[in-house]
Amino acid sequence: MRETIAAIATGPVQGAIGIVRVSGPDAIIVLDQVFRPDHGSSMAEKPSSRLIYGSLLAKDGAVIDKCLACVMRAPHSYTGENMAEIQCHGSQAILSAVLTALFAHGVVQAEPGEFTRRAFVNGKMDLSGAEAVHDLVTAQTAQAAENAAAQLEGAVGGKIVEIRQKIVDLVSEFLAVVDYPDEEIDSVLFENACEILHNATRDLYRLAESYEYGRILREGVPCTILGRPNAGKSSLLNALAGVERAIVTDIPGTTRDVIEETIRIGAVVLRMYDTAGLRDTSDPVEKIGIDRAMKQASSAHLILAVFDSSDDISDEDLMVIARTHGKRAIAVINKSDLPSAINMQSIRRHFQHVVAVSAKNGDGLKELYELIPKVVGMDGAVYDGGIITNARQAAALARAAERCEAAFCAAESGMTPDAVVMDAEGAIAALGEITGQSVTDDIISNIFEKFCVGK
Ligand code: GDP
């Protein structure tokens, strides 16, 4: 029989209210040992999901707190087991005392993600839903949260279950034929298979492709600031971030390594990388920094190319321009507070998006803020929830799409039913990894380890 687990579900900061969750066969019995309702005899008699006011008791019967508690009976709870929730005052001292009282009655500390793991094991949600719970807890923007909520509702899992079921039905039909090899195979069976597998392949590739977008939604847009030394890269990063993070000096070559900062601009989270200024240098340390800058720029989803408007375009600026070719880039013409000496025509020839700013006094930053979401393609994008946000699901989807396509090719070329079945079964297994219908314990453990305790 499973143990009854408990954990503090609220964060490790002082809040007005803190929550302790309990799940397992003894959850309600134990709640009655540590909580005494002000009215009525026991929590076991109270209806499910109703908050009851009462006294929280230590093992020796001393009152720890006056607070609320509720019970949720299996199977109608988050985990599918009997659950109890205690909403007490939010000091860490009270929360620890609640746990101590529960542990004294045989309850054990929950592992990270154990509540959600139990919900998955008890069929309350599929694996993609469980991963969506993690995304919801860690969402950094409203859009990321919206997408995770849609996934929890089954936007991805539901779609995958539907596609998987069609392939499962198809395989059953083919297996029936394989069992009677002497009989003529009905051509309608192959035609039907071609249509189902073609549509499934198309839908699976489409979902797999949404990962690039989904990753950005979840993790933020990797954005590199490039520019020659002293163009004002660090000043721009500081102005955007609103804090003194990067070192600003007028000695060229000060930012020698890559500095990272996360900045939220409306719905977009930018993972900003301020890099060493690009120039020819004999300093080995600076050279390493410049190499890193180049590497960072090549993997960036957006480059902010910073130019000093008080000076004309130099060879170093040309190095920066060369790095932006074929990339999403914005030319940020900095130091607009100084008299302009830069050849703007030349800049406009190389960049579709140009904005003049002064990192010093803040001019133009509003325009830059408005431009960034447009350039990265995240302004008013339509979300139907069918967006893949994690690498595990994306990899499984790509495998499923490939196997499904191979099954389609086999069916289209009229190969033996065995060939169709083999690839179709590969697709079914890969899809089952996403929903959790066919997944190893290692993968499951890996997923839930990333959760926080109490979820
Ligand atoms: P980086 O080497 O490209 O990171 O450049 P920094 O941000 O360290 O700035 C180099 C110098 O330019 C510093 O003295 C800054 O104060 C100055 N600077 C940066 N932005 C502006 C600006 O918008 N206007 C003016 N006048 N000076 C700036």
Side-chain angles (χ1 to χ4, degrees):
M1 194 157 80
R2 279 176 175 280
E3 286 169 314
T4 297
I5 53 170
I8 300 170
T10 37
V13 286
Q14 185 183 316
I17 301 295
I19 296 176
V20 174
R21 306 173 97 183
V22 190
S23 181
D26 295 335
I28 298 172
I29 300 165
V30 173
L31 180 66
D32 267 325
Q33 309 289 319
V34 302
F35 182 82
R36 187 179 58 222
D38 272 11
H39 302 287
S41 56
S42 75
M43 289 301 286
E45 292 170 0
K46 304 288 182 200
S48 280
S49 308
R50 183 164 312 162
L51 286 170
I52 306 291
Y53 189 66
S55 303
L56 200 53
L57 309 171
K59 200 184 172 196
D60 62 4
V63 174
I64 305 170
D65 195 3
K66 292 294 288 182
C67 65
L68 294 166
C70 77
V71 297
M72 287 152 280
R73 290 180 177 79
H76 305 294
S77 71
Y78 180 74
T79 58
E81 303 174 329
N82 275 347
M83 286 189 77
E85 217 167 270
I86 298 164
Q87 299 188 6
C88 55
H89 290 104
S91 85
Q92 294 303 304
I94 296 175
L95 289 162
S96 298
V98 175
L99 277 188
T100 305
L102 290 167
F103 294 162
H105 293 283
V107 173
V108 298
Q109 171 67 48
E111 300 286 328
E114 197 170 352
F115 291 91
T116 310
R117 185 176 186 148
R118 289 186 178 199
F120 163 66
V121 170
N122 292 330
K124 300 296 289 185
M125 61 180 71
D126 74 5
L127 206 50
S128 71
E131 287 178 308
V133 168
H134 181 256
D135 285 356
L136 262 179
V137 173
T138 55
Q140 295 194 55
T141 63
Q143 280 175 339
E146 207 175 290
N147 186 57
Q151 283 198 20
L152 190 55
E153 285 266 281
V156 168
K159 214 177 264 183
I160 286 169
V161 166
E162 190 186 310
I163 296 172
R164 186 175 178 275
Q165 193 54 48
K166 281 187 185 151
I167 306 174
V168 167
D169 292 344
L170 188 79
V171 166
S172 319
E173 284 180 36
F174 270 76
L175 285 177
V177 178
V178 174
D179 285 345
Y180 302 99
D182 297 336
E183 285 189 18
E184 179 92 2
I185 299 172
D186 189 349
S187 65
V188 175
L189 184 59
F190 273 104
E191 279 167 30
N192 195 22
C194 283
E195 192 187 334
I196 289 170
L197 292 168
H198 175 267
N199 291 343
T201 303
R202 181 200 56 209
D203 292 350
L204 291 174
Y205 273 124
R206 203 173 280 164
L207 259 181
E209 278 160 17
S210 71
Y211 174 58
E212 166 68 8
Y213 184 71
R215 195 170 60 90
I216 285 172
L217 197 63
R218 201 173 75 144
E219 295 172 10
V221 180
C223 170
T224 298
I225 306 181
L226 279 188
R228 65 152 117 144
N230 263 4
K233 299 178 296 300
S234 304
S235 304
L236 180 70
L237 176 67
N238 288 340
L240 287 172
V243 287
E244 284 289 312
R245 172 73 167 76
I247 317 152
V248 178
T249 70
D250 45 15
I251 308 158
T254 321
T255 307
R256 292 190 159 181
D257 210 336
V258 176
I259 290 178
E260 186 179 343
E261 187 71 60
T262 301
I263 299 170
R264 191 165 303 141
I265 296 179
V268 184
V269 171
L270 288 181
R271 289 206 334 267
M272 305 281 288
Y273 300 97
D274 181 17
T275 58
L278 299 196
R279 63 168 178 169
D280 267 333
T281 177
S282 53
D283 179 340
V285 180
E286 198 181 344
K287 258 199 170 111
I288 293 171
I290 290 173
D291 282 350
R292 289 204 184 145
M294 301 281 207
K295 228 182 233 161
Q296 207 70 56
S298 61
S299 63
H301 192 79
L302 172 70
I303 295 176
L304 296 183
V306 184
F307 299 93
D308 182 342
S309 67
S310 66
D311 201 358
D312 204 1
I313 295 170
S314 64
D315 287 350
E316 292 153 342
D317 288 327
L318 293 176
M319 275 167 75
V320 172
I321 291 171
R323 280 283 135 189
T324 63
H325 283 158
K327 306 282 298 182
R328 256 188 217 92
I330 298 175
V332 181
I333 315 301
N334 190 33
K335 309 195 186 181
S336 64
D337 54 295
L338 297 178
S340 176
I342 197 165
N343 180 343
M344 285 302 287
Q345 259 182 339
S346 171
I347 293 284
R348 287 192 197 285
R349 255 203 309 279
H350 291 289
F351 292 90
Q352 192 189 342
H353 308 286
V354 180
V355 57
V357 307
S358 166
K360 193 173 184 177
N361 67 19
D363 283 351
L365 286 181
K366 188 168 171 282
E367 284 83 348
L368 183 57
Y369 271 120
E370 284 166 3
L371 188 58
I372 287 171
K374 287 184 193 141
V375 175
V376 297
M378 294 189 73
D379 58 327
V382 179
Y383 301 100
D384 65 354
I387 298 166
I388 297 297
T389 50
N390 86 48
R392 185 192 78 83
Q393 293 179 8
L397 261 176
R399 252 183 294 124
E402 274 167 28
R403 297 299 295 272
C404 200
E405 190 173 21
F408 165 72
C409 293
E412 201 187 30
S413 63
M415 284 165 79
T416 64
D418 301 51
V420 180
V421 166
M422 198 178 71
D423 281 311
E425 282 180 336
I428 292 168
L431 292 175
E433 282 178 34
I434 299 171
T435 56
Q437 285 156 296
S438 50
V439 74
T440 63
D441 280 349
D442 281 354
I443 293 178
I444 293 175
S445 297
N446 233 330
I447 290 170
F448 290 104
E449 265 166 22
K450 295 189 202 109
F451 278 60
C452 51
V453 174
K455 191 63 235 184

